[in-house]
Amino acid sequence: MTFVDKFPEEAKLVRWHFGVGFVALALGGLFGLVQSLYRTGYFRDALPIDAAQYYTVLTGHGVLLALVFTTFLICGFFVWAITRSLDRPLAHQRVAWAGFFAMLVGTTLAAITILNGFAPELPFGSADVLYTFYAPLQAHPAFYVGAALLVVGSWVVGAEYFLTYREWRADNPGERIPLQTFMVLATFVMWYLSSFGVAVEVVVFLIPWSLGWISQVDPLLTRTLFWYFGHPVVYFWLLPAYLAWYTILPKLAGGKLFSDPLARVVFVLFVLLSTPVGFHHQYTDPGIAEGFKFIAMTNTFMLLLPSLLTAFTVVASLEHGARQRGATGYFGWLRALPWGKPSFSAMALAGLVFAAGGFSGMINAGMNINYLIHNTIWVPGHFHLTVGTAFALTMMGVSYWLVPQITGKQLQHKTIAAAQPFVWVIGMTLMSNAMHRGGLAGLPRRTAKPLFRGEGAAPFDPVVGSIAEMQLQIAVGGTLLFVALAMFLVVMTGTWLSRSGVGQLSVNGTIPAPLSGPADSPRILDNLKVWAGIAVVLVIIAYGLPLYSMVADGILSPGAGLLAPLLGL
Amino acid sequence: MRIHRFEKLWLAAAFVLIAAFIATIVYGSLGAGVAMVGDEGGTVDPDDPTASDNFREPGVYQTGDGEYAVYVEARQFAFAPGTNEPIRVPADAEVTFYVTSSDVTHGFELVGTNVNTMVIPGQVAELTVEFDEARTHHIVCHEYCGAAHHAMEGTVEVVSQDQFQSQDVPEVNEE
Ligand code: HEM
Ligand SMILES: [Cu+2]
Ligand SMILES: [Cu+2]
């Protein structure tokens, strides 16, 4: 029975989440196109923005894609995963809807303040602060309230997963947690622990400050709280992609997951290690002792472990699937995979691109090598491979497979869909390789005009290629990405608007049992309370002292003494 | 719990890889002495950095034999010194930059090198470099700092020791 017929209410909830996420994706993608044409100099004069508004566009791109699109897609996808794997409706749908509306209101508030940057004469504030909103750059209070509502809304939707799980547990004492549910809960344990940092930053400091209730905030303390959340958030994006790679992808390949217990181990490692690593975004920050940066680096490298394990399990599962389909030979099995099926090819290509992103990430993570590329265009080159492809393209693959199941409609425009993942990957290869090389030559990120005013590209000294050629690849790659995005949206809109009940759906939601199941793995793996406890201890070790010293030297202003600014001294 | 033989091998290889990475960085940091930014620069009052012992009037100072200190104040949208007049320092000398901001967060990077730091109001970024070649380096502000962020740039002129002697640079004692 199709998901929408069995769980119509849950399917509706997933549809709304996906719908809002797709709107954010469309607008954010358009902004991406504008960026890649503006900052490279192509059509700069033809575009209807000036250099200052480039930062309005960039804020919109970062917020809509990295924060809004991701959060809505994840929360919706997890509603499906929980319902399907526990095989029961949500415990209290109203809780999930409340969370959804909080996220929607928050997104609307933030979007209005950002978009007002295009028409500053209108009275809706401004928020040209980029998605990292480092104080003392200041946005309208509605921007911060919106950001807070987005995060808190996701917490409320998350609470629904735990409530539903609790009901299931009451009915099924002693059973192992179904794998997808385990993955959802583990991801959200990590999310609660880490997004707490940004919530404190926004609610305790930035909202009161933007309303004028406090006169200043400590720039280092607030950005530290941001990055306390800013790294784990990338695992909040990645783990849903892992869920898809572990549980859906092997089925699409014609096989089954290699090992259920190993998948659980991987998620437990992420719960433990995702948060105490944020200082690796602050290697070049003054005011943080090198020792703390070193601890963060060690933890970061340990995080390679679950990702390497994932690479193994996913590839092994795909090979198993291909051999089930009759493939032979060392590499011959690769050809037997269903590359013409967009759900499969999107996810498999996303995984492949993620491997490349992992390599450039290891460079970022090296405390000293980082100095060469910090805040250069290398960094966007890196994360368009990770969140921009490993996450985004995987979610497109999930959509090709899941949207028919939550709407009861056949996927439309199958040819466009089949080509789309490949167009995306070609565009990304062009844009990202040029960004990486440009970064090595020192080309900065987050800038409307990266070249020097008097000397143009002269000061940059590329190891391979030329600055002009890189700019061209970024512009062409960005355009192809936008084309691929439009193809995806055409398929989605076409499917959504098509008539339902036409023939039997060509997809179904059953997921075959893994080759080795959970039965003989240690039960402690399922005990998320234990893992959450250890994760908190690791966070205290990594963050306790540095946060204490930032607060002790003046909670609102460094160099002033703990409460001095509050007491008006 | 059954773990496949290949999986065990892979796991072992992964651990070796991770250990090798960390060892390389430790060697790079301690052994080869690659300069990194820590908390040595101390804190200042963001509204008036020079009022603090941790920061001087922006400019170049001689602090010892072959040792120089450069105090740079970043603000929207210029480095002082650096933007209106270049920062002149000698080659083959120990040059320590002290960089802070009196408004928002900026970046300070010499293009194509690993002289790269965030510039955060209230904090002094301290990093020591030895330039072994007389040449011009370009400074870029690499953190978004407002509407004209892309216009925030500057230069460091590294000149030979002989050329530099002719300049008068104030001498100070740094402890
Ligand atoms: C149509 C596809 C896309 C294009 C053409 C594109 C292009 C770009 C470009 C050129 C930049 C660099 C701007 C600069 O630093 O000056 C950028 C930044 C960024 N992109 Fe994309 N992008 C696309 C899709 C995505 C997706 C799908 C995501 C995430 C889900 C994403 C997330 C980001 C983020 C977080 C930034 C950094 C913003 C900042 O520095 O504040 N992009 N993008
Ligand atoms: Cu990170
Ligand atoms: Cu700047």
Side-chain angles (χ1 to χ4, degrees):
Chain A
M1 203 179 187
T2 313
F3 188 78
V4 63
D5 298 326
K6 195 162 176 193
F7 302 108
E9 288 304 314
E10 285 70 17
K12 185 169 163 198
L13 197 55
V14 183
R15 281 202 303 276
W16 273 93
H17 279 90
F18 276 31
V20 176
F22 292 160
V23 172
L25 179 64
L27 193 55
L30 178 66
F31 287 172
L33 175 69
V34 172
Q35 282 155 216
S36 56
L37 297 180
Y38 194 97
R39 65 165 282 145
T40 54
Y42 295 95
F43 307 106
R44 186 176 288 165
D45 301 324
L47 290 165
I49 57 163
D50 60 28
Q53 284 168 337
Y54 179 87
Y55 304 108
T56 305
V57 172
L58 189 57
T59 307
H61 183 74
V63 170
L64 286 173
L65 291 176
L67 304 178
V68 176
F69 162 67
T70 50
T71 308
F72 275 91
L73 268 270
I74 293 165
C75 288
F77 183 43
F78 279 4
V79 167
W80 167 79
I82 281 276
T83 314
R84 193 214 65 86
S85 65
L86 295 180
D87 198 22
R88 63 189 297 140
L90 294 181
H92 312 272
Q93 274 161 25
R94 261 193 250 141
V95 175
W97 279 110
F100 169 80
F101 280 113
M103 282 163 45
L104 186 60
V105 171
T107 299
T108 313
L109 284 178
I112 290 173
T113 54
I114 295 170
L115 296 177
N116 200 44
F118 295 118
E121 62 284 358
L122 298 179
F124 302 116
S126 82
D128 293 340
V129 292
L130 306 191
Y131 83 106
T132 44
F133 46 83
Y134 295 142
L137 286 172
Q138 200 180 53
H140 189 275
F143 174 82
Y144 301 115
V145 173
L149 279 175
L150 179 63
V151 172
V152 172
S154 75
W155 292 354
V156 175
V157 180
E160 176 71 55
Y161 310 147
F162 285 88
L163 291 171
T164 306
Y165 162 71
R166 212 177 52 176
E167 281 202 345
W168 173 87
R169 177 51 88 205
D171 294 347
N172 299 273
E175 256 191 63
R176 296 304 292 250
I177 308 178
L179 183 58
Q180 284 185 331
T181 298
F182 178 80
M183 290 171 158
V184 168
L185 300 184
T187 305
F188 262 77
V189 166
M190 188 276 291
W191 179 238
Y192 285 122
L193 177 64
S194 62
S195 55
F196 181 67
V198 76
V200 169
E201 180 199 7
V202 171
V203 174
V204 176
F205 295 107
L206 300 184
I207 293 179
W209 171 64
S210 66
L211 289 168
W213 298 346
I214 52 177
S215 65
Q216 55 180 344
V217 293
D218 180 345
L220 181 64
L221 175 60
T222 46
R223 66 186 260 117
T224 301
L225 288 171
F226 181 86
W227 285 115
Y228 169 92
F229 142 92
H231 194 79
V233 75
V234 315
Y235 297 114
F236 181 59
W237 305 328
L238 197 61
L239 294 185
Y242 278 22
L243 186 150
W245 298 348
Y246 274 107
T247 63
I248 304 175
L249 186 60
K251 169 207 163 89
L252 296 176
K256 41 177 75 163
L257 173 63
F258 203 62
S259 159
D260 168 306
L262 251 294
R264 287 176 205 251
V265 170
V266 164
F267 273 69
V268 165
L269 285 171
F270 278 114
V271 170
L272 296 181
L273 290 171
S274 289
T275 313
V277 295
F279 283 129
H280 73 204
H281 289 261
Q282 298 179 281
Y283 285 152
T284 64
D285 276 18
I288 300 165
E290 277 176 45
F292 300 126
K293 297 176 179 174
F294 190 83
I295 295 177
M297 180 184 76
T298 316
N299 289 345
T300 307
F301 279 122
M302 292 308 287
L303 269 171
L304 272 177
L305 192 65
S307 284
L308 287 168
L309 283 177
T310 301
F312 180 90
T313 314
V314 171
V315 172
S317 310
L318 291 186
E319 181 178 345
H320 173 76
R323 298 209 188 281
Q324 293 296 310
R325 295 159 68 101
T328 51
Y330 264 127
F331 292 106
W333 59 271
L334 280 169
R335 257 180 292 133
L337 293 169
W339 294 104
K341 197 154 58 171
S343 49
F344 173 84
S345 65
M347 284 188 219
L349 289 173
L352 218 59
V353 169
F354 183 62
F359 280 113
S360 81
M362 292 180 211
I363 304 284
N364 301 346
M367 230 171 126
N368 46 7
I369 318 173
N370 183 275
Y371 278 72
L372 196 56
I373 46 86
H374 173 77
N375 261 1
T376 68
I377 191 84
W378 165 290
V379 177
H382 161 73
F383 61 61
H384 281 90
L385 299 179
T386 53
V387 66
T389 298
F391 174 81
L393 190 55
T394 296
M395 283 303 142
M396 295 182 203
V398 165
S399 305
Y400 290 136
W401 182 73
L402 194 57
V403 167
Q405 299 181 55
I406 56 172
T407 57
K409 297 170 180 181
Q410 300 279 9
L411 193 71
Q412 302 294 310
H413 311 299
K414 289 217 169 73
T415 331
I416 300 182
Q420 190 271 345
F422 296 91
V423 179
W424 182 276
V425 169
I426 294 169
M428 195 51 88
T429 309
L430 292 175
M431 182 169 101
S432 172
N433 94 79
M435 282 178 162
H436 278 94
R437 287 182 297 122
L440 285 178
L443 217 55
R445 68 183 280 204
R446 299 188 143 176
T447 167
K449 299 174 178 173
L451 305 185
F452 281 88
R453 272 170 300 166
E455 283 152 286
F460 302 102
D461 189 14
V463 189
V464 195
S466 72
I467 295 292
E469 155 266 322
M470 292 171 197
Q471 302 273 56
L472 182 64
Q473 288 204 44
I474 292 174
V476 175
T479 308
L480 278 180
L481 281 171
F482 183 72
V483 169
L485 194 73
M487 291 164 76
F488 170 73
L489 292 170
V490 163
V491 175
M492 282 303 124
T493 325
T495 303
W496 219 295
L497 297 180
S498 70
R499 280 193 308 121
S500 56
V502 186
Q504 183 74 30
L505 282 191
S506 51
V507 289
N508 68 68
T510 50
I511 289 177
L515 275 177
S516 45
D520 50 349
S521 67
R523 297 197 80 90
I524 180 117
L525 273 182
D526 285 10
N527 194 334
L528 284 167
K529 280 191 196 132
V530 169
W531 304 122
I534 301 178
V536 170
V537 172
L538 290 176
V539 164
I540 292 171
I541 293 174
Y543 270 99
L545 273 176
L547 273 181
Y548 171 77
S549 76
M550 281 175 211
V551 170
D553 74 4
I555 189 160
L556 300 179
S557 163
L562 178 56
L563 295 174
L566 289 180
L567 303 174
L569 295 174
Chain B
M1 170 162 125
R2 213 193 54 146
I3 300 181
H4 196 278
R5 186 164 47 91
F6 286 145
E7 223 155 18
K8 283 186 190 147
L9 278 176
W10 181 265
L11 201 62
F15 268 116
V16 171
L17 183 74
I18 290 167
F21 272 128
I22 296 176
T24 317
I25 310 287
V26 172
Y27 171 76
S29 327
L30 304 177
V34 181
M36 286 188 271
V37 182
D39 60 352
E40 302 80 12
T43 60
V44 291
D45 176 359
D47 297 324
D48 187 8
T50 46
S52 156
D53 293 344
N54 290 327
F55 206 74
R56 287 179 194 284
E57 214 37 63
V60 181
Y61 298 84
Q62 179 152 22
T63 50
D65 195 16
E67 288 172 20
Y68 297 84
V70 185
Y71 287 83
V72 182
E73 186 176 335
R75 45 167 70 221
Q76 290 168 328
F77 295 95
F79 298 101
T83 300
N84 292 326
E85 78 272 34
I87 299 170
R88 263 170 73 95
V89 291
D92 300 318
E94 200 172 276
V95 180
T96 304
F97 289 94
Y98 297 87
V99 196
T100 194
S101 160
S102 42
D103 47 32
V104 301
T105 300
H106 298 273
F108 179 89
E109 179 183 19
L110 301 194
V111 167
T113 73
N114 57 7
V115 177
N116 187 339
T117 182
M118 297 303 301
V119 183
I120 300 175
Q123 309 291 332
V124 179
E126 174 182 334
L127 66 172
T128 300
V129 206
E130 197 167 316
F131 298 101
D132 45 12
E133 198 189 338
R135 57 163 281 192
T136 301
H137 287 280
H138 284 72
I139 312 172
V140 56
C141 170
H142 62 51
E143 186 54 81
Y144 168 67
C145 55
H149 155 62
H150 45 274
M152 187 160 168
E153 55 189 52
T155 43
V156 172
E157 268 176 31
V158 183
V159 297
S160 69
Q161 292 271 358
D162 307 343
Q163 250 180 316
F164 193 79
Q165 302 302 336
S166 58
Q167 276 200 325
D168 58 336
V169 168
E171 273 186 50
V172 293
N173 273 321
E174 298 275 285
E175 67 283 22

